[in-house]
């Protein structure tokens, strides 16, 4: 009745795409930092990727059903950690986001994203029909809202926002009813002004800047403007690796992390961007395909949760680089420098592999 | 192991397909965004990227010098430093304002005003916040290079004029261009540029100005210089050589010291201006840096009007100098017989009104010659009455009055020669015959500038050749007007002017030994005699203006000098000596130069014997050897 998952069942195409993206990221991190005091960053990022691959393999070996079984405990642990961050967390860049673990500072909210993927997958898989009832919708909403609120308190608007598409995609797949959807959207619209009231001044500034960037080109509009200049100046073929003046001169803000695609766009041009965006599209479509082939609803929701989170990251980051969205501090998955973010993506991919190698298991 | 939540029923596949389509659609949208930036608007952003990394510091071109006719420097430049403010980062500038103001001894309000004025300029273009940096300013900038990377020093060339307003009205002065000039220059001028405002500085600005260069450096995002680009060198402005003779100018300036008036010396053969002075004069060195509002106001409101170049802008009654025009008109029109004479009793009646001669004792019976020599008013009243205003106006205009001379200076005034038509046009009134009587002795509505009189008298003595006065040396060809005056007329009129000085005439006191000095005096009322009484008499602003236009030699003169001394009262005593001084200096110099030329030519002949050898050699010598020698 039960077969052992085989190594050849891993999604090798998916891994190839992932490593191609990681490679481009390493290259651009090197190009952006090699001449300054940040030199060597690409090596550290390589270690994070290796650690991520190991984590992915480990996660893929545990049966995802067993992981989903522990969802309530994981949820409690996650919420506790978020509270702990608020109480004893390490403050960096004006926000409490880091807990000292394993000698490094881990961004707890990254781990929480993973936990919410698991928790919502478990929750939606328990829905026995193709239509989501109002009670179930509200329960899913509350499950999401509690960690979301805690993350907002850090404050980390970007990560908090990621939880929203997770719930939305889950509800859509679980069969949300049109009337409920309309009410939810209306409620969200009504909450906007209230939410505005709770935003920190710097967050409000980012939003107003996004709406009218030309008003303050050296203030908070600076980042978006410089990013757009870098992208536009790249032209079709780019200026060549290590030759972008916006990148090398340091005009592109955090060019090795959040704005890494702007750096790549300047040096590799539209051609490079085209390759990268097609790679991301291929990654996401491949993930959806894995969801379609999942053995059960739990596996499917798990994989689609990963699609929602990774897809949202890519969308928000790329749109920000070309000035279509405000600056939110969301990194580009697999390319941006950062330990926690990289580990998160590989752990999430571990879940996908987990589902994939068990697709024939009964 | 079985899990109670396990749910193997599949969801409708369409929901997953919708997510796939969304992914493809969003990717396409994002790619369109990149396409717009990187392909459609790429050039625009490439320019912005260059602005980011390239900082341009102007290299100021020095203005061309002004030299006198012998190459002596009249106006030149001296190096100086201006303080530049780099405005790439407005927030940093705002923060640093108090520190900047303190370090450069300026006020924050002043700095804010300057920033406001430069608001429309591109942010990467630095502005001059202090045109003349002191030693303390330079020390401040150097010592704060690290923590105040907003300041830069710019080497500039300041204009240096001779002191005490020497030649000030001729040279004019420079200043920062006005917004109006920038707009009118079609991109040639930028705000902050220095350009000529008046005088020759304005007239020949294009020549003098040169083209600024540009030093372009690569900077990174914190303004640190990381490299250099090609440098565009400044092209210095061209020097201009003037026809002004420094030595004569010195005499003219000194002669006018402490007075209000003008001295102008022309060479009537060429139209060259040899000296031109107008007093009082401002010191243009004060305008070479920014002129303060108070100083500007003071100069503009000064009742002595130091900013007025009287030589070309003072429009005053010419008084008896006008009698030369009358004499020429009388002889040329032939409306009055040559031997016409009048008995002067000191006064005469026309149209029921009494007109006085300046000499109440009367001149007795006077001919034209005597009337000019002694400046008899009664004689010319009669000539005026017989000629009529329109005939007088015809000759006066032909001889150069009532219109601009065309000198190469901006803002010349035209003076006014009245006529019946003029009065009808301007006042819609008929001309009264009594007005003609006043005009006949250079009073009434007729007004002239000193330069016009110099040109007119010089031209008459030239027999009707009027060269356009000009200040630029070696102007070729010089525009000229010819108005044929018969030799007989020229002879008679110049004889009369010779008599003014040499036959115990009105200017007998300025007779010069060895020089055929001729001329005509004038004393022009600035206000009617009744008005003078009302105003309380003796005040200097109501005193007569003294005129003298002198020239030498009598026929085909080399130099003509017009002198105006406002409030000088008598042309003979107040104005004529000034003209004599200039003409004497001209002849003194000429005789010195003639001697020098002999010596120089002799030496030249002596020092180059080889040339003589080559020229004197007999034919038939080898050609090659010749050429080597000739090459020396």
């Amino acid at each position: 009745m039960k077969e052992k998952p085989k190594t050849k069942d891993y999604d090798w195409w998916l891994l190839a795409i992932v490593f191609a993206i990681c490679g481009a990221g390493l290259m651009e991190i090197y190009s952006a930092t090699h001449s300054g005091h940040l030199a060597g960053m690409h090596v550290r990022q390589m270690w994070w990727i290796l650690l991520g691959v190991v984590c992915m393999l480990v996660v893929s070996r545990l049966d995802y059903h067993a992981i989903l079984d522990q969802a309530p405990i994981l949820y409690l642990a996650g919420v506790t950690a978020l509270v702990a961050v608020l109480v004893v967390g390490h403050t960096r860049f004006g926000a409490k986001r880091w807990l000292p673990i394993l000698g490094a500072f881990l961004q707890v909210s990254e781990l929480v994203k993973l936990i919410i993927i698991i928790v919502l997958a478990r929750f939606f898989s328990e829905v026995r029909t193709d239509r989501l009832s109002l009670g179930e919708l509200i329960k899913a909403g509350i499950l999401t809202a509690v960690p979301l609120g805690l993350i907002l308190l850090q404050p980390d608007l970007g990560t908090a926002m990621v939880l929203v598409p997770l719930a939305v995609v889950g509800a859509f797949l679980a069969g949300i009813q049109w009337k409920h959807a309309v009410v939810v959207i209306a409620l969200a619209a009504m909450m906007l002004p209230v939410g505005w009231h709770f935003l920190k001044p710097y967050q409000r500034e980012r939003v107003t800047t996004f709406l009218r960037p030309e008003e303050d080109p050296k203030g908070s509009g600076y980042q978006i403007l410089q990013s757009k200049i870098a992208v536009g100046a790249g032209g079709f073929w780019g200026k060549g690796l290590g030759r972008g003046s916006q990148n090398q001169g340091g005009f592109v803000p955090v060019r090795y992390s959040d704005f890494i695609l702007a750096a790549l766009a300047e040096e590799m041009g539209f051609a490079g961007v085209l390759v990268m965006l097609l790679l991301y599209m291929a990654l996401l479509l491949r993930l959806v395909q894995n969801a379609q082939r999942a053995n059960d609803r739990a596996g499917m929701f798990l994989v689609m949760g990963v699609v929602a989170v990774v897809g949202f990251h890519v969308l928000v980051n790329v749109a920000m680089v070309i000035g279509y969205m405000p600056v939110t501090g969301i990194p580009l998955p697999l390319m941006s420098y950062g330990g926690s973010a990289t580990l998160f993506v590989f752990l999430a991919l571990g879940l996908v592999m987990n589902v994939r190698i068990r697709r024939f298991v009964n | 192991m079985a899990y109670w939540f396990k749910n193997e029923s599949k969801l409708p596949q369409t929901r997953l397909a919708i997510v796939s389509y969304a992914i493809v659609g969003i990717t396409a949208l994002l790619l369109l965004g990149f396409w717009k930036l990187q392909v459609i608007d790429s050039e625009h952003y490439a320019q912005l990227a260059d602005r980011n990394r390239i900082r341009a510091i102007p290299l100021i071109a020095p203005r061309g010098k002004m030299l006198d006719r012998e190459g002596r420097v009249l106006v030149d430049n001296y190096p100086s430093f201006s303080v530049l403010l780099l405005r790439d980062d407005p927030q940093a500038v705002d923060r640093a304002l108090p520190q900047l103001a303190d370090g450069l001894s300026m006020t924050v309000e002043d700095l804010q005003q300057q920033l406001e004025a430069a608001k429309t300029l591109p942010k990467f273009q630095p502005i001059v916040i202090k045109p003349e940096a002191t030693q303390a300013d330079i020390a401040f900038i150097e010592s704060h290079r690290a923590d105040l990377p907003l300041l830069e020093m710019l080497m500039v060339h300041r204009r240096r004029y001779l002191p005490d307003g020497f030649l000030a009205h001729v040279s004019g002065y420079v200043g920062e261009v006005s917004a109006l000039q920038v707009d009118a220059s079609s991109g040639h001028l930028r705000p902050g540029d220095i350009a000529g405002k008046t005088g020759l500085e304005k007239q020949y600005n294009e020549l003098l100005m040169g083209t600024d260069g540009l030093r372009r450096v690569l900077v990174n995002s914190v303004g640190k210089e990381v490299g250099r680009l090609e440098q565009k060198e400044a092209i210095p402005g061209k020097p201009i050589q003037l026809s002004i003779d420094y030595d004569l100018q010195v005499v003219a300036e000194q002669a006018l010291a402490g007075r209000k008036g003008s001295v102008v010396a022309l060479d009537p053969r060429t139209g060259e201006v040899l000296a031109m002075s107008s007093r009082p004069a401002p010191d243009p060195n004060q305008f070479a840096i920014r002129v303060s509002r108070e100083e500007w106001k003071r100069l503009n409101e000064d009742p002595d009007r130091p900013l007025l170049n009287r030589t070309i802008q003072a429009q005053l009654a010419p008084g008896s100098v006008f009698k030369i025009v009358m004499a020429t008109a009388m002889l040329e029109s032939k409306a009055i017989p040559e031997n016409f004479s009048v008995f002067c009793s000191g006064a005469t009646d026309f149209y029921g009104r009494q007109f006085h001669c300046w000499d109440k004792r009367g001149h007795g019976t006077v001919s034209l010659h005597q009337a000019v020599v002694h400046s008899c008013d009664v004689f010319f009243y009669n000539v005026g009455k017989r000629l009529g205003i329109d005939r007088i106006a015809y000759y006066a205009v032909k001889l150069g009055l009532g219109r601009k001379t065309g000198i190469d200076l901006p803002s010349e005034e035209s003076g006014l020669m009245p006529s019946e038509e003029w009065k009808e046009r301007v006042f819609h009134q008929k001309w009264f015959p009594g007005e003609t009587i006043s005009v006949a002795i250079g009073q009434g509505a007729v007004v002239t500038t000193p330069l016009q009189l110099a040109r007119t008298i010089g031209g008459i003595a030239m027999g009707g050749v009027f060269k356009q006065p000009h200040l630029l040396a070696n102007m070729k060809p010089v525009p000229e007007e010819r108005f044929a005056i018969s030799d007989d007329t020229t002879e008679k009129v110049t004889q009369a002017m010779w008599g003014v000085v040499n036959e115990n005439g009105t200017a007998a006191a300025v007779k010069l030994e060895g020089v055929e000095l001729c001329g005509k005096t004038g004393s022009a009322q600035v206000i009617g005699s009744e008005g003078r009484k009302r105003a309380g008499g003796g005040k200097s602003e109501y005193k007569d203006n003294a005129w003298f236009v002198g020239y030498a030699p009598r026929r085909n003169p080399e130099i003509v000098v017009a002198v105006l001394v406002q409030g000088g009262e008598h042309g003979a005593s107040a104005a004529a000596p000034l003209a004599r001084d200039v003409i004497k200096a001209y002849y003194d110099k000429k005789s010195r130069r003639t001697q020098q030329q002999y010596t120089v030519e002799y030496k030249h002949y002596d020092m180059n014997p080889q040339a003589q050898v080559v020229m004197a050699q007999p034919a038939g010598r080898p050609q090659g050897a010749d050429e080597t020698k000739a090459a020396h």
Side-chain angles (χ1 to χ4, degrees):
Chain A
M1 164 196 135
K2 251 170 75 177
E3 283 179 56
K4 211 174 147 41
K6 290 175 189 136
T7 308
K8 72 168 171 65
D9 288 332
Y10 277 101
D11 190 345
W12 294 105
W13 273 113
L14 186 69
L15 281 178
I17 294 167
V18 164
F19 288 131
I21 294 173
C22 286
L26 284 172
M27 187 182 68
E28 202 46 61
I29 290 170
Y30 172 76
S31 168
T33 60
H34 66 96
S35 58
H37 63 282
L38 298 167
M41 219 172 212
H42 61 292
V43 180
R44 258 173 289 157
Q45 176 69 0
M46 214 177 320
W47 285 114
W48 282 117
I49 292 171
L50 278 177
L51 184 59
V53 171
V54 172
C55 290
M56 177 183 76
L57 292 175
V58 171
V59 169
S60 66
R61 284 292 162 176
L62 307 164
D63 190 331
Y64 64 94
H65 298 105
I67 297 173
L68 290 179
D69 198 28
Q70 303 306 316
I73 291 159
L74 285 171
Y75 188 75
L76 276 177
V79 170
T80 312
L82 283 175
V83 173
V85 162
L86 286 175
V87 178
V88 299
H90 187 80
T91 305
R92 270 208 273 182
F93 309 126
K96 282 190 172 185
R97 297 181 191 172
W98 286 266
L99 268 188
I101 294 170
L102 301 170
F105 291 103
L106 276 184
Q107 239 176 306
V108 173
S109 45
E110 295 291 342
L111 213 58
V112 171
K113 277 192 266 189
L114 206 61
I115 290 171
I116 303 303
I117 291 174
I118 293 165
V119 168
L120 285 182
R122 161 83 184 266
F123 177 81
F124 284 121
S125 67
E126 285 177 35
V127 177
R128 298 278 154 180
T129 63
D130 284 354
R131 273 164 64 95
L132 199 60
S133 72
L134 185 61
E136 286 160 336
L137 181 65
I138 290 169
K139 276 184 208 160
I142 290 169
L143 278 177
T144 317
V146 171
L148 190 146
L150 288 170
I151 295 171
L152 271 181
L153 286 175
Q154 291 183 0
D156 185 353
L157 182 63
T159 308
M161 271 167 45
V162 172
L163 300 186
V164 176
L166 193 52
V168 168
V169 170
F172 169 73
L173 292 173
I176 191 170
Q177 296 170 46
W178 280 110
K179 52 187 179 184
H180 295 158
V182 169
V183 172
V184 168
I185 290 168
L187 275 176
M190 281 162 63
M191 287 297 283
L192 270 183
V194 183
W196 178 256
H197 184 71
F198 283 104
L199 287 183
K200 301 275 170 194
Y202 82 93
Q203 290 171 327
R204 288 188 199 177
E205 197 181 82
R206 278 175 176 180
V207 176
T208 50
T209 297
F210 165 71
L211 296 174
R212 289 187 297 273
E214 67 283 354
E215 267 183 18
D216 186 12
K218 265 288 179 175
S220 52
Y222 178 78
Q223 297 191 325
I224 285 186
L225 181 70
Q226 293 301 334
S227 173
K228 282 173 78 173
I229 291 175
V231 171
F236 191 89
W237 293 111
K239 296 181 178 173
L241 204 60
R243 298 216 197 100
S245 67
Q246 286 288 106
N247 184 16
Q248 305 299 331
F251 295 101
V252 178
V254 282
R255 55 200 185 276
Y256 47 84
S257 176
D258 291 5
F259 284 91
I260 194 164
L261 193 66
L264 180 130
E266 188 190 20
E267 303 195 331
M268 310 303 281
F270 181 76
V273 170
L274 181 69
V275 170
M276 291 319 298
L277 290 193
L278 289 181
L279 278 173
Y280 278 110
M281 188 181 81
L283 173 76
L284 292 170
L285 291 180
R286 188 77 190 169
L287 290 177
V288 174
Q289 194 190 48
N290 277 316
Q292 284 169 331
R293 294 185 184 167
N295 193 25
D296 54 13
R297 279 197 184 191
M300 189 219 66
F301 275 112
L302 210 48
V303 175
M304 287 311 286
V306 175
V307 169
V309 174
V310 173
F312 186 75
H313 269 88
V314 174
L315 169 66
V316 172
N317 183 280
V318 173
M320 168 189 79
V321 160
I322 53 176
Y324 284 12
M325 278 196 188
V327 178
T328 41
I330 288 184
L332 188 58
L334 299 173
M335 270 190 86
S336 291
Y337 173 83
S340 306
T342 307
L343 279 184
F344 158 75
V345 178
F346 277 104
L347 286 171
L349 288 173
L351 290 178
V352 176
M353 292 297 176
N354 195 331
V355 173
R356 178 170 172 98
I357 56 180
R358 287 177 180 78
R359 67 194 144 147
F360 305 121
V361 178
N362 247 322
Chain B
M1 198 164 26
Y3 295 94
W4 62 270
F5 55 82
K6 202 159 169 172
N7 180 359
E8 284 171 26
S9 67
K10 296 254 173 164
L11 277 174
Q13 288 292 312
T14 47
R15 290 179 191 166
L16 288 167
I18 287 171
V19 174
S20 296
Y21 295 143
I23 290 167
V24 174
I26 288 170
T27 307
L29 274 179
L30 290 173
L31 277 172
L32 269 179
F34 276 92
W35 179 265
K36 186 169 182 297
L37 286 180
Q38 297 194 281
V39 180
I40 297 172
D41 296 335
S42 178
E43 238 166 82
H44 169 64
Y45 287 105
Q47 276 173 11
L48 291 180
D50 277 348
R51 268 189 209 176
N52 263 342
R53 70 194 184 105
I54 297 170
R55 176 173 291 161
I57 309 274
L59 296 168
I60 305 296
R63 260 178 107 75
K65 294 178 182 179
M66 290 189 202
L67 310 171
D68 92 334
R69 61 188 300 122
E70 290 169 20
R72 290 170 288 192
V73 176
L74 298 171
V75 178
D76 70 347
N77 307 300
Y78 66 96
S80 158
F81 286 99
S82 284
V83 183
L84 277 184
L85 177 66
L86 309 169
R87 305 172 305 145
D88 310 52
D89 186 349
Q91 288 183 334
V93 170
D94 282 346
R95 275 197 305 274
L97 277 187
Q99 200 191 347
L100 291 178
D102 193 43
L104 298 172
S105 353
M106 301 171 76
T107 62
V108 174
E109 293 74 47
D110 182 14
L111 284 170
Q112 277 165 343
Q113 264 177 16
Q114 299 202 36
L115 282 171
E116 189 65 25
K119 233 170 103 174
T120 55
L121 295 176
K123 288 227 168 22
F124 64 92
Q125 191 173 312
I127 57 166
V128 173
I129 49 168
K130 198 170 182 189
E132 190 92 338
T134 62
Q135 289 296 322
D137 295 334
I138 295 172
F140 171 76
I141 295 167
E142 289 299 338
S143 59
H144 289 83
R145 279 231 179 267
D147 58 315
L148 260 185
L150 305 168
L151 294 177
E152 191 68 54
M153 269 179 313
L154 177 68
M155 226 278 264
V156 294
H157 305 272
R158 291 264 170 250
R159 220 47 171 153
R160 176 159 47 205
Y161 302 93
L162 288 161
D164 304 323
F166 188 95
L167 201 71
H169 287 292
V170 174
S171 64
Y173 52 87
V174 295
E176 271 182 40
V177 292
S178 61
L180 225 68
Q181 279 175 292
V182 173
D183 291 342
S185 74
S186 60
H188 182 61
L189 296 173
R190 294 161 308 181
D193 274 354
I194 299 292
K197 291 281 196 185
T198 62
L200 292 172
E201 294 277 28
K202 184 179 181 188
Q203 183 79 20
Y204 293 115
N205 188 56
E206 299 264 306
L207 272 175
L208 291 166
M209 203 164 126
T211 311
D212 289 350
L214 213 57
R215 187 165 63 89
R216 302 200 303 161
V217 293
L218 293 175
V219 293
N220 64 11
S221 61
V222 290
K224 197 179 151 221
E225 192 174 317
V226 294
R228 269 174 190 239
L229 294 174
E230 81 288 1
Q231 178 162 321
K232 198 175 124 223
E233 297 296 340
I235 304 166
K238 293 187 179 64
I240 57 173
Q241 186 163 29
L242 309 185
S243 57
I244 293 286
D245 186 321
Y246 175 80
D247 299 316
L248 297 194
Q249 184 71 26
V250 169
V251 175
E253 299 279 4
Q254 282 173 352
L256 272 181
R259 296 174 218 236
K260 200 161 77 174
S262 156
V263 171
V264 56
L266 298 179
D267 183 338
R269 297 168 301 177
T270 59
E272 286 180 331
V273 177
L274 303 174
M276 184 188 273
S277 173
S278 170
R279 291 280 169 172
D283 182 357
N285 288 303
Q286 291 182 352
F287 306 140
I289 312 168
R290 278 177 199 166
V291 59
S292 73
R293 211 176 289 265
E294 296 78 52
E295 174 70 3
W296 189 246
K297 201 171 163 217
R298 191 184 66 71
L299 283 168
N300 262 312
E301 291 175 357
D302 190 329
D304 285 341
R305 306 193 61 190
L307 296 178
L308 190 75
N309 182 1
R310 290 176 158 73
T311 312
I312 58 169
Q313 291 176 320
Q315 304 182 89
L316 298 166
S320 298
V321 179
F322 190 72
K323 288 169 183 166
I324 302 304
V325 174
M326 293 295 293
T328 311
M330 168 185 150
L331 293 172
E332 282 294 287
S333 69
K334 309 213 188 299
I336 304 169
E338 280 180 28
N339 55 7
F340 176 71
S341 67
V342 165
F343 178 79
C344 169
S345 64
T348 185
D349 288 323
F350 292 106
Y351 314 109
R353 208 190 118 191
Q354 195 175 45
F355 290 83
H356 288 280
C357 186
W358 68 270
D359 191 344
K360 301 217 164 44
R361 296 166 301 175
H363 291 102
T365 304
V366 286
S367 64
L368 174 64
H369 183 81
Q370 289 160 323
V372 172
V373 170
H374 300 291
S375 202
C376 177
D377 290 339
V378 171
F379 180 89
F380 284 100
Y381 291 147
N382 281 285
V383 172
K385 179 167 179 275
R386 288 177 181 226
L387 287 176
I389 187 63
D390 281 355
R391 211 184 262 134
I392 296 171
Y394 169 78
Y395 282 99
V397 170
K398 282 290 182 191
L399 296 172
L401 301 185
R403 57 202 171 95
K404 294 178 181 179
T405 68
I407 190 171
D408 46 353
L409 280 177
S411 313
E412 187 190 5
E413 295 289 355
S414 63
L416 176 71
M417 185 59 224
S419 64
E420 285 186 27
E421 180 271 328
W422 165 80
K423 193 164 183 199
E424 183 64 42
R425 176 163 47 82
V426 178
F427 295 104
H428 308 293
Q429 279 178 4
K430 278 198 84 65
W431 179 267
F432 300 118
E435 295 175 82
T436 311
I437 309 303
S438 294
V439 169
I441 59 157
Q443 294 289 160
V446 58
V447 289
T448 60
T449 67
L451 183 67
Q452 282 177 326
L453 288 183
R455 175 178 180 268
T456 297
I457 302 295
I460 292 171
M462 288 285 290
V465 181
F466 300 86
K467 294 280 186 181
Q468 181 176 304
H470 59 273
L471 283 152
L472 204 60
N474 310 318
M475 186 193 264
K476 270 176 195 136
V478 178
E480 62 170 38
E481 278 176 31
R482 283 175 185 269
F483 176 65
I485 302 174
S486 72
D487 197 56
D488 185 55
T489 302
T490 312
E491 191 61 26
K492 284 201 168 70
V493 174
T494 55
Q495 276 293 355
M497 285 196 278
W498 183 81
V500 169
V501 179
N502 300 290
E503 287 179 351
N504 212 17
T506 50
V510 297
K511 193 171 168 182
L512 258 182
E513 205 58 51
V515 178
E516 266 192 314
L517 177 56
C518 314
K520 182 70 193 83
T521 53
S523 305
Q525 291 174 4
V526 287
I527 184 169
S529 49
E530 280 156 40
R532 189 199 315 238
K533 275 178 207 145
R534 263 203 308 272
K539 276 191 185 169
S540 72
E541 61 253 51
Y542 302 125
K543 284 183 182 168
D544 288 355
N545 289 333
W547 284 98
F548 184 75
V549 182
Y551 70 89
R554 184 175 66 83
R555 290 294 299 267
N556 298 317
E558 298 172 18
I559 179 167
V560 56
V561 180
V563 175
L564 161 71
V565 178
Q566 285 180 272
E569 295 195 277
H570 302 294
S573 56
L578 277 60
R580 179 202 53 202
D581 289 350
V582 174
I583 292 174
K584 183 171 185 300
Y586 173 81
Y587 276 99
D588 287 351
K589 189 171 176 183
K590 193 178 167 188
S591 62
R592 265 202 317 275
R593 194 167 46 217
T594 321
Q595 283 161 7
Q596 270 174 2
Q597 259 174 3
Y598 269 120
T599 24
V600 170
E601 267 172 17
Y602 186 72
K603 273 182 189 163
H604 177 76
Y605 188 82
D606 222 0
M607 275 163 60
N608 206 351
Q610 260 187 342
Q612 288 301 307
V613 173
V614 174
M615 276 160 67
Q617 72 197 321
R621 293 232 352 225
Q623 285 269 299
D626 288 359
E627 275 166 17
T628 352
K629 274 192 180 163
H632 285 281

